[in-house]
Amino acid sequence: MKLIQTFEVFPSIPKPLRFIGTLSCNFWWSWNQDAIELFRRISPRLWEASGRNPIVLATSIPQKRLEELAHDDSYLAHMERVRKRFENRVLNPTNGESPWDQGEAVAYFSMEFGIHETLPLFAGGLGILAGDHLKAASGLKIPLVGVGLLYREGYFRQYLDKDGWQQEGYPETDLYHLPLSKQKDKDGNELVVHVTGIGREIHAQVWKIRIGRIPLFLLDTNLPENPPEIRDITARLYSGEQYTRLAQEVLLGIGGMRALDALGIQPTVSHMNEGHCTFVGLERIRQIMDRYGISVEAAGEIVSRTTVFTTHTPVSAGHDEFPPAIVKPYLHPFEACFDMSIDQLVALGQPGGASSETPFSMFILGMHAAQYINGVSKLHGQVARHMWSHVWPNRSDEETPITHITNGVHIPTVLAPEIKLLFERHLGPQWSMGSTIPENANRIDSLFDEELWQAHEMCRSRLIRTVRELMHRQYGRRNAPLNIMKAVESVLDPDILTIAFARRFATYKRAHLLFQDPDRLEAIINAKARPVQFVFAGKAHPRDNEGKGIIRSLVDFGRRTDLRHRFIFLEDYDMNIARHMVQGADVWLNTPRRPMEACGTSGMKAALNGVLNVSIMDGWWCEGYGPERGWRIGNGEEYQDHNYQDAVESQALYNIIENEVAPLYYDRTAGGTPKAWLKMMKASMKMAMSRFCSLRMISEYEERFYLPASRRFAELVADGGAEARRLSDQHRRYLDKWQQIQVASPVRCAEGPFRVNQSFEVTTVVRTGELHPEELNVELYYGKMRHLDHIEAPRVEIMNVKEEHSAGTYLYGCELPCTDSGRHGFTVRVTPNADAWIRFQPELLTWAC
């Protein structure tokens, strides 16, 4: 049969229920419990069968059921309550208290977005963080738009064969079961953007989906006018083939900016979530040149000062690099408009002084286009500064211009329904505003122990029930014998300490740490007085055979006869499984190899639900740990010998579970509640709400990056870009004249030794060439010596001109204060007396010789 035309039939929704249709078209419902219950209440069985998808649910609701609900006063009252909240939080315009002006907008680009399991556009923590970013922006009414790609097959679905080896499946997503809308151009036609590809144009349809107040625009190359290889660009998230992967990143950055331009959205700030997005900078420069009639240099000054770049990967190999030869075809269209050669364009993605064949780095491209660069935890900021210090070779790690904003999680999304009810009662109706209301966290102490424990036990029971259902499906898919099918229906025990481990099975995550001593682990699991059970979930990358091997060894261990009911691996980890695990476990286990965990937001989600963390001191746990709210494995040591590290830390882990965690959990009062454990649960929940909430996170982005950058944009484009032109001229002058600067070795007026609170004068002679003293900062750089050639926690004093020796040569001096005892060192350097973007250019720094 050919030319089959399709159509879909939905029930006729009675007029009193019309709001249900509106609600299903905005993912706001997915983090509002009352809205979720509105759908579930229609038919709990159909709701679960639909995969918790309101649009799929609508196709299976009997018309008779809708007619019943249209006359159900209780249901209509419930719907009215949800409608009023939706209108207040989504539809109403922002009030006059907003710090944002009309026309300001932040464009947030990400390769993946984790909003809900029904929208399969994510692979892991990066995507979930991006989804939480949009949700939090909606809650705080920040004028933000999201830009991503629409993958018709998404990330892979995971299945295990009979030997426990991971298999991958790529089922196609039915776009008709998602609340997507095709965007139109100014003439009313479907909006399609075009990007020059390798040998042919890439055409991409633009779709929109609503995340509360926030529009998320998605590009899709699955169009008839594209040949198969172009259509496949948006087939799968994180294609392993480098040509397709590069095409995805070009489409996201260049195509994403063109989509916004076609929609009439001109962002005053761009935010690139990881290096996949960094082609944004090139296209944004081109658009600003066209819009304001300014040079590429002036447009670059605007883009750099109004761009945020967040890096999530503390592993060099995790940052995308491509051979220059396959990047050049995408850069050729910029040669003429930028008046740059192809080699000059390629150099934007290469370290300074690199050869022409050096791989093109997406991180370095982003660094060249962003003043605001950040890691996602305090420790990750330090790691990123060290990892990328070679880009700023004349600066110490401490001064590498990469800061950090620690991630946070979206409280209404991750919180268990039972905990939400407790918060509603004890914290008040604004509990969902988390860290923005300090009293929220403080009131957690008022939760009654019995109520909190009862809520937690219900969460654990739901986790166990879900595990049993999933295990039944897993084994049913493998045609397991009847006795096995019966056995999996009773796995796990609701009265046993339950430890969860769920994350990507990358080798640095070290799921294998638990198996260093299998006999001791088995003894812990089967301890008569204090038994322990484990639930695992997670995917290995399709090409990561080592990660797949870890999964298989874990499955093999769980097949031991005396462990089958207490050691479980769940297939196909997704947001639904994650939700049950972070809400229902007693302990959240995290064992990365420090310092390779950028953040680790799953531990924050667990903490919010009162699940206690046992973790290596890595990522967010370095900031969140306290002995009153969880346990640490080791003290934050870093090892060169990984085998030795695994041996030491595995024993530490066994000791913690056996001697600290289990005894505390099973220490029950006459009433049956573990008082000391509950005290730790409350402390953990308070910590997570006050310090690791996504509203705190996005407020930091807004205050430190978004608002300053957006205001700077207005200043830079005013009067035809006059300020941008001035900065471009200033920047060029520094670059042209900087090599003329020479700094003599500093001289001190006294030899010492010195006493605390004394000071002494330091002088130096600086030859400034054609630059003037007022254009330069001559800085005394000093501090305690860590070793022979490194100053720890350096401080800076500005030196002043004391006299002019000759034309262009000056004597500078200042006092060096002796504030504390110890061995100190000092030297002198010259930096531009300019704003942060120019001041931190790698070429513009000269040290004393």
Side-chain angles (χ1 to χ4, degrees), residues 377-417:
S377 69
K378 184 177 180 179
L379 178 60
H380 179 228
Q382 297 171 7
V383 172
R385 285 190 289 276
H386 178 71
M387 184 166 65
W388 295 106
S389 60
H390 67 275
V391 179
W392 294 268
N394 293 322
R395 292 187 179 274
S396 64
D397 288 3
E398 293 91 339
E399 288 196 308
T400 298
I402 300 175
T403 183
H404 80 277
I405 291 180
T406 301
N407 284 342
V409 296
H410 191 243
I411 293 176
T413 295
V414 304
L415 211 59

Side-chain angles (χ1 to χ4, degrees), residues 830-845:
V830 179
T831 63
N833 183 17
D835 70 359
W837 177 248
I838 294 177
R839 193 167 66 250
F840 280 96
Q841 291 304 297
E843 309 93 331
L844 303 181
L845 179 65

Side-chain angles (χ1 to χ4, degrees), residues 467-486:
V467 167
R468 291 172 177 175
E469 291 171 357
L470 293 173
M471 291 291 288
H472 192 272
R473 287 184 213 163
Q474 286 179 204
Y475 280 90
R477 197 161 43 240
R478 299 176 207 160
N479 292 313
L482 185 60
N483 64 318
I484 297 293
M485 295 296 291
K486 290 296 291 181

Side-chain angles (χ1 to χ4, degrees), residues 15-282:
K15 187 174 181 180
L17 302 179
R18 292 286 167 83
F19 172 68
I20 293 177
T22 301
L23 183 62
S24 66
C25 291
N26 189 314
F27 269 96
W28 177 86
W29 67 262
S30 68
W31 69 86
N32 286 270
Q33 193 63 38
D34 228 14
I36 294 170
E37 289 300 319
L38 192 65
F39 292 121
R40 185 176 179 276
R41 191 170 167 179
I42 295 173
S43 170
R45 182 184 60 80
L46 291 178
W47 176 242
E48 289 301 318
S50 73
R52 297 157 300 282
N53 184 330
I55 295 177
V56 176
L57 174 70
T59 65
S60 56
I61 306 171
Q63 187 67 39
K64 181 180 178 182
R65 176 58 177 156
L66 290 174
E67 298 296 340
E68 290 174 357
L69 292 171
H71 297 89
D72 185 331
D73 291 343
S74 173
Y75 188 84
L76 294 176
H78 183 173
M79 186 181 68
E80 182 64 14
R81 185 169 68 247
V82 174
R83 186 188 64 80
K84 287 181 178 178
R85 183 175 296 181
F86 178 79
E87 290 180 352
N88 180 52
R89 298 189 180 179
V90 176
L91 302 182
N92 287 348
T94 57
N95 55 39
E97 298 175 358
S98 171
W100 292 90
D101 296 331
Q102 188 71 28
E104 291 184 297
V106 178
Y108 183 86
F109 294 80
S110 182
M111 185 70 97
E112 50 175 302
F113 287 91
I115 310 297
H116 187 259
E117 59 265 26
T118 58
L119 187 64
L121 306 178
F122 62 96
L126 173 72
I128 305 300
L129 181 279
D132 283 1
H133 202 94
L134 300 193
K135 294 171 184 177
S138 175
L140 292 184
K141 302 179 180 179
I142 294 174
L144 183 144
V145 299
V147 183
L149 302 181
L150 181 61
Y151 308 101
R152 64 177 182 273
E153 294 177 4
Y155 201 49
F156 70 89
R157 304 295 298 272
Q158 179 197 50
Y159 308 95
L160 301 184
D161 63 19
K162 61 182 178 59
D163 297 319
W165 190 258
Q166 175 180 292
Q167 307 292 319
E168 295 84 34
Y170 294 89
E172 189 164 335
T173 301
D174 189 340
L175 300 188
Y176 291 99
H177 289 165
L178 296 174
L180 291 161
S181 59
K182 292 181 179 179
Q183 297 304 280
K184 308 289 185 180
D185 61 20
K186 59 185 178 182
D187 298 320
N189 301 313
E190 291 182 358
L191 178 58
V192 176
V193 297
H194 312 278
V195 177
T196 299
I198 296 179
R200 62 180 73 233
E201 287 281 295
I202 299 170
H203 308 285
Q205 173 86 53
V206 182
W207 300 78
K208 182 175 78 171
I209 200 162
R210 302 293 308 194
I211 317 297
R213 289 176 173 269
I214 307 300
L216 171 58
F217 298 104
L218 301 168
L219 277 63
D220 173 23
T221 60
N222 188 24
L223 300 176
E225 56 264 42
N226 284 328
E229 66 272 16
I230 300 296
R231 296 179 72 163
D232 284 346
I233 289 174
T234 56
R236 297 177 182 178
L237 174 58
Y238 295 137
S239 169
E241 198 277 316
Q242 66 175 357
Y243 288 90
T244 303
R245 181 72 166 263
L246 176 60
Q248 288 180 335
E249 299 186 9
V250 169
L251 178 63
L252 174 61
I254 297 175
M257 278 301 304
R258 290 179 182 175
L260 293 181
D261 186 52
L263 291 164
I265 299 170
Q266 299 169 3
T268 51
V269 181
S270 57
H271 185 166
M272 304 179 298
N273 190 40
E274 195 50 273
H276 318 117
C277 324
T278 54
F279 282 108
V280 163
L282 294 178

